[in-house]
Amino acid sequence: MTVRTAYHHGDLRNALVAAAAELADQGGPAAVTIRAAARAVGVTPTAAYRHFKNHLELLGAARAYALTQMGDAMRARLAAVEPRDDPAEAAIARMDAMGRGYVDFALSRPGLFRSVFIDVAKPANAEEIEGPHMMLVRGVDELIALGFVGEESRVGVEVASWSLVHGLALLMLDGPLSRLPEAERQAVVEQTLDTFVRTFWAARANFRQGT
């Protein structure tokens, strides 16, 4: 359903959110304004202001949508993970899948990816779906339960994991890796995520040895 069709079905607020998400997808968060969303839907800015008091509220709705889409990309990778008999291997495969889903989303929808990290509040009525951060927390919970790291290392593991995939995504989008040919870019992703996985196995060996 297009944003105009959604409006003609009587749901102007959601039509404006859909328009804001499209604007963010195409041009990043800076492209999201009340006036531009109203134009996309085919209404006046005055009509849009009845649902959003300013562009920051609309941007918050677009950010909530972007977070949902990022989570969906990560869940799609998780759903493709093949079953493993070894719980430790299964947990690591899920961490790998989440990292790949994160990078997938960044590279395929850079405008929405950038919109995730703007400093605006989510709408009070935002749909409560497990987001990327909680997915990471659950993954680290598994690693702790399986003896990869201790509870005291939780914050470091979460931040290091996030930093690795986020840094890779930014290098691919805005840094020198953006100029690599597609085949080389994919090879970098594979090698980086492979390193990501191997650090967990190394951490497990050190943790079991008490070092």
Side-chain angles (χ1 to χ4, degrees), residues 17-105:
V17 173
E22 286 185 12
L23 290 165
D25 204 4
Q26 295 166 12
V32 179
T33 65
I34 292 282
R35 188 172 296 277
R39 186 185 309 117
V41 176
V43 300
T44 66
T46 301
Y49 278 117
R50 296 192 186 105
H51 296 272
F52 298 95
K53 67 181 181 182
N54 54 42
H55 90 281
L56 290 178
E57 277 198 357
L58 182 60
L59 197 53
R63 177 180 179 272
Y65 173 85
L67 271 168
T68 299
Q69 293 297 300
M70 176 185 280
D72 287 347
M74 293 166 69
R75 278 183 283 272
R77 281 285 192 171
L78 282 169
V81 173
E82 295 182 358
R84 287 167 169 78
D85 294 330
D86 184 339
E89 290 184 1
I92 293 300
R94 284 190 284 271
M95 290 293 290
D96 176 75
M98 285 190 285
R100 290 176 187 275
Y102 191 101
V103 176
D104 287 345
F105 178 74

Side-chain angles (χ1 to χ4, degrees), residues 2-24:
T2 66
V3 292
R4 287 177 179 268
T5 303
Y7 166 60
H8 289 303
H9 278 72
D11 193 357
L12 178 55
R13 188 184 191 285
N14 282 338
L16 289 166
V17 173
E22 286 185 12
L23 290 165

Side-chain angles (χ1 to χ4, degrees), residues 99-144:
R100 290 176 187 275
Y102 191 101
V103 176
D104 287 345
F105 178 74
L107 298 184
S108 63
R109 309 190 76 175
L112 284 182
F113 177 75
R114 292 186 174 98
S115 300
V116 167
F117 301 100
I118 54 176
D119 186 19
V120 292
K122 71 176 182 179
N125 62 345
E127 191 174 356
E128 291 298 331
I129 297 176
E130 185 178 52
H133 181 251
M134 284 309 301
M135 294 169 71
L136 173 60
V137 168
R138 286 204 302 118
V140 174
D141 284 343
E142 281 193 281
L143 297 185
I144 292 172

Side-chain angles (χ1 to χ4, degrees), residues 143-153 199-211:
L143 297 185
I144 292 172
L146 291 166
F148 278 87
V149 292
E151 178 64 41
E152 71 280 359
S153 300
T199 60
F200 288 120
W201 291 114
R204 188 193 198 199
N206 290 336
F207 182 65
R208 289 187 166 187
Q209 292 170 8
T211 59

